[in-house]
Every structure is written in C-alpha cells, then in structure tokens.
C-alpha cells in the first residue's frame, strides 16, 4: 500500500502544476497586472507611476510565463508564474495583494467554515440515510410515492432558495435565530444552527434519493430475500442487513468529500455573514486578489486529491477483497 | 458528548434570556453602542493612502486634520478642528515679498498657510507612547512628508507635488533612501521646504501660486497628524506580521479609537479616553432647531461609547436586521424602496405606514455627485466642437428623458442635472436662471424638456435627417461602452436604446468588463459612456476641472474623461480656480457652464438623492455630504432601543411546532399500514 500511496502522491505533482497553470491562465486572461493595480489603488487620481510602483513591489512587473530578456534559467524563473506559484508547493501562501498573511487568514477562517460544514455533513449524512431507509421501510405505500416526488422537487430547487427561504421563515417570521452574524466559541451555536439546518434540508433531495437507490439495489439481493424468508421483521432486515452492506459506497463517498469541508460554502457563508474560507474566496475573486485566489484553488486541489487517496484507502478498510498495489 | 451538551445548554440559556435572534453578545446589552455594517472591507486605513468613502467612515472618527466642516450649517462651511482658527494664506511674490490679499494670481509665487493648533490635545493610548502623548505641530508636518513616501502610493502625491513646495523633490529623495535602507523611513530626517514646524504648536505650509482650494484639503485625513513613534512602531516586522500596520490600525487624537479590527468581519471603535471633549454645536441651518437637532447644544461630545461595524455581504439580511432593530440606521435598496417609501401626489417622499409605526425616520439630501453620459470628444462621429457635432449631441441631450429615468430606475431619488455643478456648491444656480436652455424651457415656474421635434430639427441640421446620414443615406449607429452587463441592467439599457430610437438612431450597447472599459477610456476608443464624479470638497473647481483640457484622459491620464478641450473654457477655468467666491467668480462660472451646455460634451444626467432611514432612538442625524466625522454628534436612547428590540423580536413557536405536528400526523397512516402488513398472515 505504501508504494501505491507514494505513486499517487507523485501523480499529484503534475496535477497540481496543471491546476496552478490553469488558474494562472484563467485569472490573467481577464485581469492584467495593471488592472489589479488600479483596483487596489482606487480610481481617483491614480497616476501611471503609482501603478508601475505597485506592480514592481509585488513582482507583477515581470513577464507572465517566459522572460525573453533574462539569461539561462531566469528565463523561466524570473516570471510572475514562477515567483508567485511555485512557493505553493511548500505551502507557503505568502501575502495577499493588500499585504495580509494568507496562511494566517486560512488558519483563522477554517474554524467558522468547519463549524458549519462539519455538522452539516455529519447530520446531513445521518438524515439522508434515515430518509432513504424510511422510504424503503414504507415501500409501496403513499409515503414512498409522495416521498420520492418530494425528493425530486427538493433537489430541483436552487440552494439559494433554501437559504433565503430559511432566513425568511426562521429568522424573520419566527425570529428563532439571528439572520446573519457570527461569534466565536460556544456562542457560535446560536448562529450556525440555522445554516446547518438549511444545509441539511437543502441536501436531503439529492442525498436521500441517491442512498435510496443504493439501498434498493441491496434490497434486491439474495441475502435479503433469505433474511425475509427466515421471518425477520422488515425493520431488522433494513437496519441490520441492508444498511450494513449499503454503507460501503456511502462511507467511501463520504471520505472523498471530507477534506473539502475545510473550504467552506461560498453562498451560505456570504448570506449568513460567516467569516469562513468560502466568503474569503468570494471576496478575493471580487477584489481581483490573485494571491488569495491561487492559494485557495491550490488548497482545494490538494484537499480534493487527498480525499481521493483517502477513498482508496478506505476501500481497503471496509472491503477486505480490495488490495492497493 | 460533553461539548455537545454544553453547546446545547448555552444555546437554550441564551434563548431564554432574551430575543433568540439577537446577533450581539449579552455583554453589550444596555450599552450606548451604535451598530452599523459594511459590505466591502476598507482597503486602506493609512491617512496618506485612504481615498475611498467606505474608509473615511472610520478614519474621520479617529484622525483629526486641522479643519472640519460645520456639521449643520449649509452651504458647507469650514471651521477649526484642532486648529485655533481658520488659516488665512499670506501671498508672496517671486522675491518672497508679501502681497495683499487681493493681489492678482499671476503675481503670487507662493501662498503661505500658517496653522496654529490648540495645546492640550492628546493622542489615544498606544504601545508606541511612553505616557500621554500631546499633539504637536511636528506631527502634522510628519504626515505631509508621508504623502511623498514611495511605499505608500498616496493618491494625492501627484496633485500635491504640483502645489506643496519641495514635495516632488522629497519623493525622489525618499525613493533613493528606500532603495538603500530597509524598514522604517524616519521622515524627521528629511526636510521639506513646503512644510515646516514654526514652534511646538504652529506649522507652515508653502503652496505654489494661488490655490484657494487648499484649505479644503486641510479638512481631509491626508493632512491629519502622524506621530513618528507610531510610524516607527507600526513599521516593525512584528507589527507587519501581526497586521498592525498603519494601514490596518489607525492611531489618532479623535473622539474614537480602533479597538478591534477583524479583517472583513468586524471593526469596533471605542471612546478615546484621552479625547479632550468637544461642545455640541449651538447653531445650525434654518429648521435645525425646530427639528430638535440642537437639543444637545453645548453638551460635551461624543455621546456614544462604541461603534461596531459588521460585514454584511448581502442586502437582504442587512435590511431585515435593521427592521428588527439590530442596526440603528440603513440606506434603502431598490428592492426595499416600495416597502419603506411612497411618493406622494406632489412628488414628495414619505415613509410607509409600516415604517412610521416603528418610529423610523427618513432623511434625504442631494448628493454632491453628478452622473452623466459622456461623449468622447475625440470620436469622429460624436466628438468635435464644430456645429455639426455639437448639434448632434444637443439633439441627444433633448431626446434622453432624464426625468423619466429618475422616476423609473432611481425611484425618484434624484434631480435632473442642468449642468456639471450639483446643488450646495458655490456657482450652482437654482430656478429659471439655472436651467440648461439647450434642453429645457422655463414654463409655469419649472423647467420643461423641449419637445422631441426640436431634437429632430437639431439632428437634421447636424446632417442626420430622420437618423440617416444625409451624405451616404446610411442610418446613424452609435455605440455605448458600458460595464453594465448584468440582468438588472437590461431594462435600463433597453430604455436608453428607446430614447435614441426617438430620433431613429440605433444605439449599440458594447458591454465590457471593468478592466477592458478602463482600457478603452485610457486609449480613447470608446464613443459614448456613463460616468460620475463625487465631490472631494465643496468648490466648483472640483467639478469643472473634469472638463479642463490639460486634464484630459487620453495622453494626459487626467480626470477629463470626455477629452473635452475648449481653449476659452480652459482660460476661464484657470481664472476661476484662483478666485474667491463672489459675484465675479459666479459670472465666470456662469460663462463656463453656458459654454458646456452649448458644447454638450456631457449629456447631463442627475444628482442623486441620498435616503437614509434611522430608528427613533438614534438622535442628531442630519445628512452631511462633506463631513464624515458625524459619529461624535450621534446619541442613542439606549432604554428606548432595548424596549423596542424586545417587543419586535419575540420568538414565534406556533409555526415550527405546527410543521412538526403535520409531518408526524402524515406518517401515522403509513405506520399503521406497515403494522398491518407486518402482522398479516400469508394466504
């Protein structure tokens, strides 16, 4: 397994370089360093000299990818891409374009993101599985038919609707939660329960439907028929046999997204005023802060790759037939 | 399980002890704290760098330049803040000999401003100070020098280099010094001829030529005091690593000091314990006393203990929190306009009954801002000062119905512009004398837009009868370069196309992003564009310079976005900018404005009206377009706020309980059916 993991880690290097290159190209396709400077310096009374100085101080006065005027290795190394992107591989994110330490911001902001994303994920998983099992439990009753219709309807609704609707109902009409805001420590509970609830409810449609499909597949297998033939109750068949076997794809799927929880939710954090990494990314895109955008995209790519590797590892843990070589 | 249990306990306890939707900590209950919000974090809080309206909100409460605007009087009036009196410039000729106050501008080589600050003013407590640190003249001189600091990129360095003696040379010297030495540049080591300490409480600024508008700059944070100790302290690597630079943590003598700055999350200002106290004004404009704005006259300011500004990215949560009483004041977005305001039969705005029932008050003021549609004067079709092109622009000025635009797209919040100057500035004329005769007639005591037939006549005279080029017969197609590309802009752009179509002119909208748009403007490749200007200071020069030839954007990189160059206008501008306010200056301004109306390089748009809502418990609110240090005047009736919040935010449990019951009841038949199936025997 060690060799396999090492190989996967080595594969990750060209993937990350590619991601970096793609982010770089996409960003600078729409933003020139001059544009970034002007956005940071403001629109009133900005002189071309000030723009030039701003670029020089941050290394944005270099060529983008290839420095024809330089000699030797400097042709490649004395470029914006090399100077700004390679340090990422050592997880040195540097400073944002307005001079703030990005690593420090990430460390501070990942906790509010996790305060929402982790409970949403765990509770959401439990609720989705429960709903899927309930639908199976009440198979061929009106509960299943209306439930499936409701799930399809729920997954068709935009997440923005859940957020605005949830805020309207729980925070504005019923006044049970602050509409937006955040406080540190245990006080965070007052602010995060509503986004968590909305996140869980908003995810039921797609999640429960997917798990129902998995469980239905299991329900048709021989061992289930045998269990029923033995006279076991439907509840026992579901929760002792189908659930246990259906958990393999669920757990491996969950492991894949687990690392990405650090990245937070872009829209949810923005609407609820949660100072997490999602809102950090959105604000950086709006402010054309390349340093933050590339750091967040790189971090997202690293976490995604980590998630995929963990998925492979988790397969070996839950299914003894799988071996990594 | 314990942390989860503890969280639940805190949650339940907090729910029982007050409104469940209270977004603030219990420790803040009953305190005189003003709650506000921001949607974009301040980029710069260094007084030498900051130039944005969302930054001055904080800076103006902390830093004290020598002058300020009277908070209540109109027209805007400068009064001393830390200075003992308004400085009067002493004019000298090229040989340094003093000249009289009425000396002709061309003889004046320098204007010398000697500013005396009052003793006994202290900076806020700060780690950089050994004890209480008194404000001295040297602190002001230090900040003037910082405008030339190469690492700060002060936006007014270029402008001030043209005026303050030796500032440009200081910039060059500091640039050299910055290359050889790393870290803090001690400005005390670099003399500046144009800013010198006279004695402990007096300093002198030497300005090249005559520049009467300079006093307005003395009311801005660019000219606030900066103690060298704080500059040195904030330049240490530890302070930089800890985000405690001057660009993030301002340090001043004002009524408030920053006690919390969580970037892009929350900013907290608290009373400066070293603040000397300032008396609330005892005079104001007509009607201020009747409105209760002078009830606190003579009392010592500030009244509020803290101000908390929280990030709100979205307008919906902000608005709803304002209605629940969690924010003390709010603007009105177009989404909420109908909920908050209704327009009366006479066009006056009044609050809806729902707002009045909550005791919410509405304050309006015309902004010192001009929005306009510009014609690129370098463009071969719409540019040029000859009769043909002028008439084309005049025809378009008549055709585009700004009154309709304001009614449809600004909820009536604005007044049609008759020229470049907004109301409240010297030079602005009201009534019949102030209308744009190219576009309006004065009928029955108010301006009336000329009929479209007049525009068609002008268009025909311009060589485009019925919107077709008389020479080629081809239809006239014009291009609008705009950044407005979103779905919300579609209706507005369609409306604009419709206005052009009145003259059978096709308007092509060339949507572009911000960066490309700026490129087009710099290169002069745009044809028609939308633009605006917000006043830096209440002087007509600050608007008329937008059309001064040497300030053109193409080639000179200035703020004259239309690239309008009219030698006569330029000559009058040079004359006007150095004149003192009076009939002679008014006459020159009248000529300049008349010239602009005839040439029509701008299709004059409108001056927006600011609408601000505030709760009844927030006192002493009067919109002021120039003064930004309004926090010290505000007072909060804390008891009234607490009572209202409690009454408005009672939790309603019936809804969620009903929802759970409905869900449970819906499952009962299914459960019974399941039981029946389980208990059924095989047949």
């Amino acid at each position: 397994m060690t060799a396999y993991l090492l190989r996967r880690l080595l594969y990750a290097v060209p993937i990350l370089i590619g991601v970096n290159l793609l982010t770089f190209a996409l960003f600078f396709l729409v933003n020139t360093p001059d544009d970034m400077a002007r956005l940071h310096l403001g629109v009133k009374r900005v002189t071309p000299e000030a723009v030039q100085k701003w670029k020089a101080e941050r290394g944005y006065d270099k060529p983008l990818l290839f420095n024809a005027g330089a000699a030797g290795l400097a042709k490649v190394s004395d470029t914006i891409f090399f100077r700004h992107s390679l340090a990422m591989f050592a997880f040195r994110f540097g400073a944002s374009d307005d001079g703030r330490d990005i690593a420090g911001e990430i460390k501070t902001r990942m906790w509010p993101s996790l305060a929402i994303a982790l409970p949403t994920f765990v509770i959401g998983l439990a609720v989705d599985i429960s709903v899927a099992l309930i639908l199976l439990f009440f198979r061929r009753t009106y509960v299943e038919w209306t439930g499936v219709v409701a799930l399809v309807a729920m997954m068709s609704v935009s997440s923005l609707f859940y957020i605005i609707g949830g805020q309207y109902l729980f925070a504005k009409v019923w006044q049970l939660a602050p509409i937006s805001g955040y406080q540190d420590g245990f006080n965070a509970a007052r602010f995060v329960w509503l986004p968590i609830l909305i996140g869980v409810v908003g995810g039921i449609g797609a999640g429960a439907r997917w798990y129902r499909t998995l469980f239905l597949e299991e329900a048709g297998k021989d061992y289930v028929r045998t269990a029923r033939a033995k006279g076991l109750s439907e509840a026992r068949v579901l929760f002792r046999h189908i659930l246990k076997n259906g958990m393999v794809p669920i757990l491996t799927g969950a492991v894949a997204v687990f690392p990405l929880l650090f990245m937070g939710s872009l829209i949810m954090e923005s609407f609820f005023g949660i100072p997490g990494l999602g809102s950090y990314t959105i604000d950086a895109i709006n402010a054309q802060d390349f340093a933050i955008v590339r750091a967040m995209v790189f971090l997202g790519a690293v976490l995604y790759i980590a998630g995929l590797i963990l998925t492979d590892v988790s397969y070996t843990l839950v299914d003894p037939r799988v071996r990594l070589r | 399980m314990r942390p989860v249990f503890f969280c639940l306990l805190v949650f339940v306890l907090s729910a029982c002890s007050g409104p469940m939707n209270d977004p603030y900590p219990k420790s803040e209950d009953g305190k005189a704290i003003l709650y506000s919000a921001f949607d974009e974090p301040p980029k710069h809080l260094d007084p030498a760098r900051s130039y944005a309206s969302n930054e001055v909100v904080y800076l103006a409460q902390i830093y004290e330049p020598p002058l300020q605007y009277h908070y209540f009087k109109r027209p805007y009036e400068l009064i001393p803040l830390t200075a003992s009196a308004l400085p009067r410039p002493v004019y000298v000729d090229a040989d340094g000999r003093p000249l009289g106050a009425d000396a002709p501008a061309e003889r004046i080589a320098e204007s010398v401003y000697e500013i005396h600050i009052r003793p006994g003013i202290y900076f806020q407590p700060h780690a950089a100070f050994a004890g209480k640190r008194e404000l001295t003249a040297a602190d002001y001189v230090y900040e003037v020098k910082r405008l030339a600091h190469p690492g700060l990129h002060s936006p007014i360095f270029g402008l001030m280099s043209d005026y303050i003696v030796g500032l440009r040379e200081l910039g060059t010297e500091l640039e050299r010094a910055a290359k050889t030495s790393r870290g803090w540049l001690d400005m005390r080591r670099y003399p500046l001829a144009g800013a010198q300490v006279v004695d402990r409480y007096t300093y002198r600024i030497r300005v090249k030529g005559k520049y009467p508008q300079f006093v307005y700059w003395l009311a801005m944070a660019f000219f606030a005091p900066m103690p060298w100790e704080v500059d040195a302290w904030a330049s240490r690597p530890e302070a930089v690593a800890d985000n405690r630079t001057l660009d993030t943590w301002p340090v001043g003598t004002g009524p408030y000091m920053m006690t919390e700055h969580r970037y892009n999350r929350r900013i907290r200002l608290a009373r400066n314990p070293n603040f000397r106290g300032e008396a609330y004004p005892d005079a104001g404009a007509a009607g201020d006393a009747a409105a209760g704005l002078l009830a606190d006259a003579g009392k010592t300011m500030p009244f509020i203990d803290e101000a908390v500004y929280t990030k709100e990215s979205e307008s919906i949560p902000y608005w709803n929190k304002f209605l629940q009483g969690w924010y003390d004041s709010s603007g009105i977005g177009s989404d909420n306009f109908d909920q908050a305001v209704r327009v009366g039969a006479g066009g006056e705005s009044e609050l809806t009954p729902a707002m009045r029932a909550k005791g919410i008050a509405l304050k309006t003021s015309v902004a010192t801002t001009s929005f306009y549609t510009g014609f690129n004067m370098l463009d071969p079709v719409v540019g040029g000062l000859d009769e043909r092109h002028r008439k084309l622009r005049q025809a378009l000025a008549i055709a585009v119905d700004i009154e309709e635009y304001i009614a449809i797209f600004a909820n009536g919040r604005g007044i049609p512009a008759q020229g470049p100057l907004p109301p409240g500035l010297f030079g602005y004329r009201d009534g019949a004398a102030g209308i744009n005769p190219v576009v309006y007639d004065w009928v029955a005591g108010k301006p009336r837009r000329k009929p479209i037939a007049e525009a068609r006549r002008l268009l025909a005279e311009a060589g485009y009868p019925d919107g077709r080029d008389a020479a080629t017969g081809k239809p006239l197609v014009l291009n609008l370069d705009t950044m407005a590309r979103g779905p919300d802009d579609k209706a507005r752009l369609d409306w604009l196309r419709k206005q052009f179509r009145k003259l059978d002119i096709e308007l092509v909208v060339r949507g572009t992003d911000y960066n490309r748009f700026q490129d087009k403007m710099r290169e002069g490749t745009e044809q028609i564009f939308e633009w605006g200007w917000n006043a830096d200071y209440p002087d007509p020069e600050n608007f008329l310079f937008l059309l001064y030839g040497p300030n053109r954007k193409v080639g000179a990189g200035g703020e004259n976005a239309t690239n309008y160059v009219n030698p006569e206008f330029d000559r009058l501008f040079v004359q006007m900018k150095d004149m003192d306010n009076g009939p002679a200056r008014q006459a020159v301004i009248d000529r300049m404005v008349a010239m602009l109306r005839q040439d029509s390089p701008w299709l004059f748009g409108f001056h927006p009206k600011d609408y601000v809502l505030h709760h009844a418990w927030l006192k002493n609110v009067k919109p002021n377009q120039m003064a930004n240090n309004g926090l010290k005047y505000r007072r909060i009736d804390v008891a009234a706020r607490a009572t209202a919040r409690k009454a408005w935010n009672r939790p309603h449990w019936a809804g969620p309980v009903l929802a759970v019951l409905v869900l449970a009841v819906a499952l009962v038949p299914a459960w019974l059916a399941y039981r029946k199936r389980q208990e059924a025997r095989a047949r």
Side-chain angles (χ1 to χ4, degrees):
Chain A
M1 184 173 358
T2 314
Y4 174 82
L5 289 178
L6 274 174
R7 205 165 58 244
R8 287 296 301 266
L9 286 174
L10 283 175
Y11 287 162
V13 174
I15 293 172
L16 289 173
I17 291 175
V19 166
N20 247 327
L21 204 60
L22 204 62
T23 313
F24 183 84
L26 284 174
F27 191 91
F28 283 102
L29 209 64
V30 289
N31 300 294
T32 66
D34 278 55
D35 302 329
M36 292 162 65
R38 283 198 172 83
L39 199 79
H40 279 266
L41 294 170
V43 289
K44 266 180 147 182
R45 304 183 193 275
V46 179
T47 59
E49 295 78 44
V51 170
Q52 207 50 43
K53 274 187 199 167
W54 187 92
K55 284 175 6 191
E57 279 172 9
R58 288 157 181 78
Y60 288 125
D61 58 339
K62 310 278 178 201
L64 289 176
L65 285 166
F66 185 74
N67 191 346
L73 200 62
K75 280 184 190 295
V76 178
S77 64
D78 198 21
T79 59
I80 296 179
F81 178 71
F82 193 91
R83 288 166 68 111
H84 284 81
S85 295
L86 241 71
M88 309 275 266
F89 285 89
F91 288 93
R92 288 206 311 268
F93 298 126
S96 63
D97 287 338
D98 60 5
R100 291 174 173 276
D101 178 38
I102 295 174
E105 288 283 334
I106 291 173
K107 274 179 209 155
T108 312
R109 286 171 169 270
M110 67 182 224
W111 300 114
S113 282
L114 280 175
I116 291 182
L118 201 59
T120 305
F121 175 71
V122 174
I123 299 171
L125 199 64
V127 169
D128 292 353
I129 290 171
S130 304
V131 170
L133 287 172
I134 287 171
L135 293 183
L136 217 60
F137 190 71
F138 291 118
R139 209 166 167 211
R140 295 193 191 93
T141 68
Y142 73 94
V143 174
E144 188 188 34
W145 304 122
T146 50
V148 171
V149 170
L151 291 183
V152 173
M154 286 174 84
M155 65 188 279
S156 310
V157 173
S158 153
S159 60
L160 200 60
F161 176 84
Y162 287 106
I163 293 171
I164 295 175
Q167 272 186 330
Y168 177 79
L169 214 57
F170 284 89
K172 192 184 176 196
V173 178
W174 294 338
Q175 303 187 146
L176 301 174
I179 293 174
S180 65
Y182 189 78
Q183 284 171 23
D184 294 323
F186 290 115
N187 277 328
R190 291 199 302 126
F191 296 88
V192 298
W193 76 261
L194 183 55
I196 290 170
L197 179 71
I198 291 172
V200 168
V201 172
I204 288 177
R209 208 168 161 270
W210 165 239
Y211 297 140
R212 179 178 163 273
T213 312
L214 293 178
F215 293 141
L216 272 177
E217 198 181 320
E218 287 296 319
K221 288 186 177 169
D222 289 345
Y223 73 89
V224 177
R225 199 178 308 123
T226 309
R228 285 200 181 111
K230 276 165 64 185
L232 294 181
S233 72
E234 188 63 18
R236 207 171 166 80
V237 171
L238 275 181
F239 292 100
R240 289 293 292 273
H241 296 279
I242 294 179
L243 176 61
K244 204 173 170 185
N245 288 293
M247 284 306 276
V248 176
I250 292 173
L251 279 180
T252 49
V255 168
V257 297
F258 193 76
L260 282 171
L261 297 179
F262 285 89
M263 301 300 289
S265 159
L266 301 182
I267 303 174
M268 189 78 87
E269 288 181 9
S270 191
F271 265 83
F272 279 95
I274 308 291
L277 289 174
S279 56
Y280 186 52
T281 311
I282 283 276
D283 291 337
I285 292 168
N286 288 335
Q288 295 186 6
D289 196 320
F290 175 62
I292 298 175
V293 172
R294 82 169 174 234
M296 295 310 295
V297 172
F298 182 83
L299 194 62
V302 168
L303 291 172
Y304 188 71
I305 290 168
L308 292 179
I309 294 174
L310 283 175
T311 307
D312 290 348
V313 174
S314 66
Y315 266 120
T316 63
L317 298 178
V318 296
D319 191 342
R321 292 169 297 178
V322 178
R323 291 277 182 276
L324 300 177
R325 285 179 187 155
Chain B
M1 282 304 284
R2 276 184 184 172
V4 175
F5 176 73
F6 190 72
C7 277
L8 282 173
L9 191 68
V10 168
F11 179 67
V12 170
L13 285 176
S14 63
C16 295
S17 59
M20 289 179 71
N21 60 349
D22 185 349
Y24 306 123
K26 295 287 160 222
S27 56
E28 293 180 3
D29 282 359
K31 289 186 178 169
I33 301 176
L34 179 120
Y35 293 99
S36 189
F38 60 87
D39 60 350
E40 200 183 329
K43 279 198 185 94
H44 301 294
L45 291 174
D46 187 318
R49 305 180 74 171
S50 170
Y51 203 8
S53 55
N54 70 325
E55 294 160 0
V56 77
V57 172
Y58 316 104
L59 286 189
Q61 324 310 329
I62 296 168
Y63 285 111
E64 289 189 306
L67 308 180
Q68 65 177 334
Y69 289 95
H70 194 289
Y71 199 67
F72 295 113
K73 287 185 181 172
R74 302 290 182 277
Y76 295 106
E77 182 184 319
L78 278 177
I79 56 170
L81 181 55
T82 59
S84 55
L86 282 182
R88 301 274 171 222
V90 173
Y91 301 126
V92 296
D93 65 12
D95 299 322
R97 284 186 301 246
L99 298 168
D102 54 353
E106 57 274 15
R107 281 198 63 201
I108 298 171
E110 281 181 17
S111 307
V112 182
Y113 292 82
E114 201 157 278
I115 301 152
H116 183 78
I117 56 165
R118 282 176 288 144
I121 296 173
Y122 291 91
F123 281 97
Q124 65 179 74
H126 192 270
F129 303 136
K132 263 179 101 174
R133 165 71 155 77
E134 193 186 18
L135 172 71
T136 66
D139 302 318
Y140 282 100
V141 170
Y142 192 89
E143 179 62 9
V144 176
K145 291 178 186 174
R146 288 183 81 242
L147 297 178
H149 192 300
L152 295 180
H153 309 296
S154 176
I156 65 162
F157 171 62
L159 176 78
M160 286 300 147
S161 301
D162 292 339
Y163 287 108
I164 296 177
V165 175
L167 194 66
R168 193 183 307 282
E169 293 74 16
L170 177 66
T172 313
E173 190 182 349
L174 289 174
E175 205 150 337
R176 271 199 304 270
K179 279 179 188 156
T180 53
S181 69
R182 290 175 65 84
W184 177 50
L185 273 182
D186 185 354
M187 294 294 148
R188 293 172 301 166
R189 292 172 48 208
Y190 302 92
L192 172 62
Q196 290 177 328
V197 175
V198 177
D199 61 39
R200 184 173 170 80
Y201 300 113
T202 312
Y203 66 105
R204 185 182 295 139
I205 296 182
R206 286 166 57 199
V207 172
K208 294 174 197 167
K210 187 179 180 183
Y211 183 36
Q213 292 76 29
F214 184 70
V215 284
Y216 295 116
W217 289 103
L218 293 177
M220 294 190 205
F222 293 115
F223 287 85
M226 179 58 64
W228 68 267
E229 301 97 313
V230 173
D231 193 23
W233 187 91
S235 303
R236 295 170 308 130
E238 300 89 333
V240 175
D242 203 22
N243 287 330
R244 297 282 297 213
T245 64
L246 277 171
D247 213 23
T248 48
W249 281 82
V251 179
T253 58
Y256 293 94
M257 60 184 202
M258 186 174 277
T259 53
E260 183 184 12
H261 186 183
R262 306 183 82 168
Y263 180 70
N264 212 3
R265 181 171 164 186
R266 188 166 54 235
I267 289 175
R268 186 183 296 266
L269 307 183
R271 268 177 194 272
N272 169 9
N274 294 342
F275 186 62
R276 62 199 175 279
E278 197 181 337
Y280 189 89
D282 55 6
D288 284 350
L293 289 172
L294 302 181
D296 288 322
K299 290 181 184 166
T300 304
M301 300 185 294
F303 302 116
I304 289 172
D305 294 326
E306 286 184 21
V308 179
Y309 303 86
T310 313
K311 170 78 181 281
E312 288 285 1
S313 302
E314 305 296 333
S315 60
I316 298 173
Y318 184 18
W319 174 248
N320 286 328
K321 279 164 91 173
F322 168 70
L323 292 182
Q324 290 178 337
W326 304 119
Y327 286 125
D328 297 307
S329 62
S330 169
I332 313 176
S334 50
D335 294 346
N336 312 315
F337 190 83
D338 292 339
Q339 190 186 349
V341 176
R342 65 182 179 192
V343 181
E348 73 286 352
S349 298
E350 58 180 33
L351 287 169
T352 56
M355 295 291 120
R356 281 206 301 272
K358 278 181 169 275
I360 290 171
L362 169 70
K363 296 280 162 62
T364 65
S365 64
V366 180
T368 46
T369 301
S370 274
F371 288 126
Y372 62 90
T373 302
F375 298 104
N376 179 9
M377 297 300 278
L378 302 175
D379 183 82
V381 180
V382 299
L385 288 177
D386 56 295
E387 201 63 11
R388 174 184 160 99
H389 293 105
R390 187 183 292 145
K391 285 189 171 169
L392 169 62
R393 294 191 295 270
Q394 288 178 349
L396 290 170
I398 295 170
V400 178
D401 189 344
I402 296 297
E403 292 77 12
E404 188 179 277
Y405 179 92
I406 295 169
I408 297 174
F409 298 105
N411 301 107
R413 285 178 287 181
I415 58 168
Q418 304 291 336
L421 302 179
L425 263 68
F426 180 82
Y428 174 83
R429 280 192 183 275
D430 208 355
I435 66 161
N436 179 0
V438 172
V439 179
Y440 295 92
D441 295 314
W442 188 256
V443 180
K446 55 184 181 183
R448 191 179 65 186
R449 184 169 289 273
K450 286 182 190 287
I452 199 70
E454 175 66 9
R456 286 184 167 278
R457 185 186 65 77
L458 286 166
L459 190 68
E461 287 176 14
Y464 299 102
D466 298 325
R468 287 182 176 270
D469 191 324
T472 63
K474 288 183 179 171
L476 179 59
V477 179
L478 298 177
N479 301 296
L480 174 81
D481 292 282
T482 178
M483 293 179 284
R485 297 182 299 167
D488 293 346
D489 300 307
K490 190 177 178 305
R492 199 174 57 79
L493 295 170
D494 284 345
W495 176 87
L496 200 58
R497 283 193 198 97
K498 198 177 124 196
Q499 303 303 302
F500 279 60
R501 221 173 288 136
K502 288 179 193 170
L503 300 177
D504 298 316
I505 296 173
E506 191 187 340
L507 180 72
V508 176
V509 175
R510 298 195 293 211
T512 179
D513 60 55
Y514 173 83
N515 301 323
R516 297 288 86 74
F517 179 73
Q518 294 291 339
D519 286 345
K520 282 183 181 180
M521 295 300 291
R522 276 193 298 278
E523 292 157 12
T525 53
E526 85 287 4
Q527 190 172 59
I528 303 173
F529 61 94
E530 295 167 309
W531 206 264
W533 184 260
N534 188 27
D536 293 309
Y537 44 80
D539 191 272
E541 180 264 355
N542 195 230
F543 279 88
L544 295 172
F545 93 111
L546 299 171
L547 292 140
Y548 179 50
N551 269 345
R552 67 193 181 279
K553 196 162 272 296
V554 176
E559 299 290 352
N560 178 353
T562 60
N563 305 298
Y564 173 68
V565 181
N566 180 332
E568 178 61 5
F569 181 89
D570 292 348
R571 189 186 65 76
L572 290 172
F573 176 81
V574 172
Q575 184 186 345
M576 178 278 306
K577 78 181 177 66
D578 293 336
M579 295 172 80
D580 295 320
N581 287 347
R585 194 179 196 213
Q586 180 71 59
V588 176
I589 291 169
D590 288 345
R591 283 179 63 194
M592 294 174 76
V593 172
M595 214 173 276
L596 292 175
R597 286 167 177 161
Q598 285 302 318
D599 288 344
S600 300
W602 291 6
L603 193 161
F604 300 115
F606 67 105
H607 310 297
K609 256 180 165 176
D610 289 344
Y611 280 47
V612 176
L613 297 174
H614 66 88
H615 287 292
W617 57 73
L618 186 64
K619 311 288 184 189
N620 304 334
V621 180
K622 179 173 180 177
N624 188 316
Q625 299 291 329
M626 288 295 137
N628 297 296
N629 58 350
L631 186 59
K632 63 186 174 188
Y633 302 93
R634 302 273 195 274
R635 186 164 56 78
I636 291 174
D637 183 342
V638 177
R641 180 168 71 179
T643 308
R645 280 178 174 177
K646 205 168 177 183
W648 295 348
N649 293 287
R650 291 198 182 97
H652 301 284
W653 287 106
V657 169
L658 194 68
V660 171
L661 279 177
V662 167
L663 200 65
V665 168
L667 284 174
V668 169
W671 174 254
L672 293 176
Y674 166 74
R675 294 285 300 171
K676 199 175 162 190
R677 198 169 70 196
Q678 285 295 103
E679 287 164 9
R681 291 173 184 277
R683 273 179 281 180

